[in-house]
């Protein structure tokens, strides 16, 4: 999903975290630690992290944690694979782009492990954003 700021008109992507109605102090602390780690990642293979928000975007009186990143207009790999399955993918989405994407993901994971001593615990097509 994405949103546009009223003041600057910039568009950002956001991901609402599923909390199942329970987001206690431990969960909040974990999200804050996560956000600090995101600021040290300096690699083009990772979405540019902008911040977190605890206040719900729908109801300002409730807590609904959100991760905010740069907006990628091509969407996720998951979306692209679904479009390809139905013959709706862009012409640019070809074998060469797929190989470049695979090499980029592998390079980004290597950077995360070797340079940042981190593990990406949610590597899946929904979390791979496309910007080609």
């Amino acid at each position: 999903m994405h949103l546009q700021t009223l003041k600057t008109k910039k568009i950002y992507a956001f991901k609402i975290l599923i909390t199942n109605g329970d987001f206690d102090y431990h969960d909040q602390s974990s999200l804050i630690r996560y956000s600090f780690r995101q600021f040290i990642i300096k690699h083009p293979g990772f979405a540019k992290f902008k911040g977190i928000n605890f206040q719900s975007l729908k109801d300002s009186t409730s807590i609904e944690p959100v991760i905010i990143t740069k907006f990628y207009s091509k969407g996720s790999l998951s979306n692209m694979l679904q479009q390809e399955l139905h013959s709706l993918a862009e012409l640019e989405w070809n074998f060469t782009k797929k190989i470049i994407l695979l090499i980029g993901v592998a390079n980004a994971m290597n950077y995360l492990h070797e340079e940042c001593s981190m593990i990406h615990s949610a590597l899946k097509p929904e979390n791979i954003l496309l910007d080609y």
Side-chain angles (χ1 to χ4, degrees):
M1 292 196 240
H2 65 278
L3 58 90
Q4 183 175 23
T5 64
L6 295 175
K7 201 175 211 180
T8 65
K9 304 292 186 205
K10 288 186 179 181
I11 298 175
Y12 296 99
F14 67 93
K15 181 175 185 175
I16 298 172
L17 303 178
I18 306 300
T19 61
N20 297 320
D22 184 33
F23 194 67
D24 62 15
Y25 173 77
H26 179 284
D27 297 327
Q28 292 173 27
S29 296
S30 293
L31 184 57
I32 290 169
R33 281 192 304 279
Y34 166 85
S35 69
F36 284 133
R37 288 193 309 262
Q38 298 310 301
F39 281 117
I40 68 168
I41 297 173
K42 304 290 185 224
H43 188 280
F46 287 94
K48 178 72 174 153
F49 182 77
K50 297 295 184 180
I52 57 174
N53 181 43
F54 287 105
Q55 188 177 34
S56 171
L57 299 174
K58 296 177 243 168
D59 176 11
S60 62
T61 63
S62 65
I63 293 177
E64 187 177 51
V66 174
I67 295 173
I68 304 165
T69 64
K70 176 183 171 186
F71 176 69
Y72 295 89
S73 62
K74 300 284 186 185
S76 72
L77 176 59
S78 178
N79 293 342
M80 186 61 74
L81 293 174
Q82 283 298 315
Q83 290 174 5
E84 182 180 36
L85 187 64
H86 300 312
S87 301
L88 299 172
E90 299 176 6
L91 292 176
E92 299 178 278
W93 181 245
N94 55 38
F95 182 75
T96 302
K97 289 285 185 192
K98 293 173 190 174
I99 295 299
I100 291 169
L101 176 69
L102 288 172
I103 292 169
V105 169
N107 183 274
M109 291 301 104
N110 184 62
Y111 167 83
L112 191 65
H113 296 177
E114 298 297 324
E115 301 297 323
C116 302
S117 299
M118 295 174 155
I119 296 172
H120 193 300
S121 59
L123 183 60
K124 56 187 175 182
E126 294 85 358
N127 291 337
I128 297 174
L129 304 176
L130 304 177
D131 187 26
Y132 60 86

